[in-house]
């Protein structure tokens, strides 16, 4: 039985994961129109991952006897201020998401909902990986500098799935 408070916070997370997907889709589209095909590809893949995260919450809430609600999503920005700031924004957003995942862990423990507490651990690990892989990209960007984007754009997909 899913405690009502936990159901509510999980429903709020559906909104956050769906917004993450739309935000990364908007970033992908912007990068695409700016001629950064590799960076766009990275963001398209990221947008799909976030959609998958949202679906995980939908299924989990319903499997536990709750009701997953599909929310409205705020419109993400359409334009971004350069590649370095783009990834800084991604890191800031992922840190915000990590905070909201931690809030779910804390509430699940408080409500003695150990099923949710166990299930959400996948997201705890996922957030460590996501923050770390975005930090790796920012470190590389700092090394190459924004003037040298051709090679960075060509190689960015090789930074995916390194577990870093
Ligand atoms: Fe970025 O992991 Fe979901 O939100």
């Amino acid at each position: 039985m899913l405690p009502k408070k936990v159901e509510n916070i999980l429903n709020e997370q559906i909104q956050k994961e769906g917004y993450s997907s739309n935000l990364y889709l908007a970033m992908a589209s912007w990068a695409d129109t700016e001629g950064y095909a590799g960076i766009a590809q990275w963001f398209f893949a990221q947008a799909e991952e976030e959609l998958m995260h949202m679906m995980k919450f939908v299924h989990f809430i319903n499997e536990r006897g709750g009701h997953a609600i599909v929310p409205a999503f705020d419109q993400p920005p359409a334009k971004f201020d350069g590649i370095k700031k783009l990834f800084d924004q991604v890191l800031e957003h992922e840190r915000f998401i990590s905070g909201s995942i931690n809030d779910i862990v804390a509430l699940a423990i408080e409500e003695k909902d150990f099923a949710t507490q166990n299930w959400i651990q996948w997201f705890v690990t996922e957030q460590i990986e996501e923050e770390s892989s975005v930090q790796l990209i920012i470190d590389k960007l700092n090394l190459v500098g924004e003037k040298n984007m051709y090679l960075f754009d060509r190689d960015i997909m090789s930074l995916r799935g390194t577990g870093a």
Side-chain angles (χ1 to χ4, degrees):
M1 170 79 195
L2 188 61
K4 194 66 196 168
K5 278 189 192 171
V6 177
E7 180 179 348
N8 291 345
I9 201 171
L10 293 174
N11 263 313
E12 285 167 24
Q13 195 65 25
I14 288 179
Q15 202 280 337
K16 289 174 184 155
E17 300 293 339
Y19 179 78
S20 300
S21 181
N22 284 350
L23 176 63
Y24 296 154
L25 191 55
M27 288 172 166
S29 178
W30 174 81
D32 212 14
T33 59
E34 293 289 314
Y36 297 114
I39 292 169
Q41 202 188 339
W42 189 91
F43 276 103
F44 280 125
Q46 210 62 24
E48 277 184 16
E49 252 185 44
E50 297 298 354
L51 195 60
M52 187 264 282
H53 293 174
M54 183 181 78
M55 299 290 278
K56 277 180 180 275
F57 279 92
V58 170
H59 290 306
F60 181 73
I61 293 169
N62 286 348
E63 272 166 16
R64 296 282 316 285
H67 183 183
I69 307 294
V70 179
F73 299 109
D74 291 338
Q75 182 164 2
K79 293 198 168 143
F80 300 90
D81 199 10
I83 299 302
K84 175 66 171 57
K85 281 193 185 156
L86 185 72
F87 281 100
D88 285 343
Q89 217 174 318
V90 174
L91 185 57
E92 191 184 328
H93 183 70
E94 287 302 331
R95 284 178 175 158
F96 163 74
I97 295 294
S98 299
S100 64
I101 296 291
N102 287 344
D103 290 344
I104 295 172
V105 176
L107 185 67
I109 292 170
E110 195 182 305
E111 292 291 310
K112 295 189 167 43
D113 178 1
F114 299 114
T116 296
Q117 201 255 327
N118 184 45
W119 177 80
I120 200 75
Q121 291 307 314
W122 184 89
F123 283 92
V124 173
T125 307
E126 175 72 7
Q127 283 312 117
I128 294 169
E129 280 171 15
E130 291 209 338
E131 282 190 35
S132 151
S133 84
V134 177
Q135 187 62 61
L136 181 76
I137 287 171
I138 291 171
D139 291 346
K140 299 264 185 242
L141 272 172
N142 286 336
L143 277 179
V144 296
E146 284 224 33
K147 291 209 165 51
N148 226 332
M149 289 307 300
Y150 175 78
L151 291 180
F152 181 84
D153 185 60
R154 192 196 63 182
D155 295 342
I156 185 172
M157 284 305 279
S158 68
L159 298 174
R160 277 186 73 82
T162 59

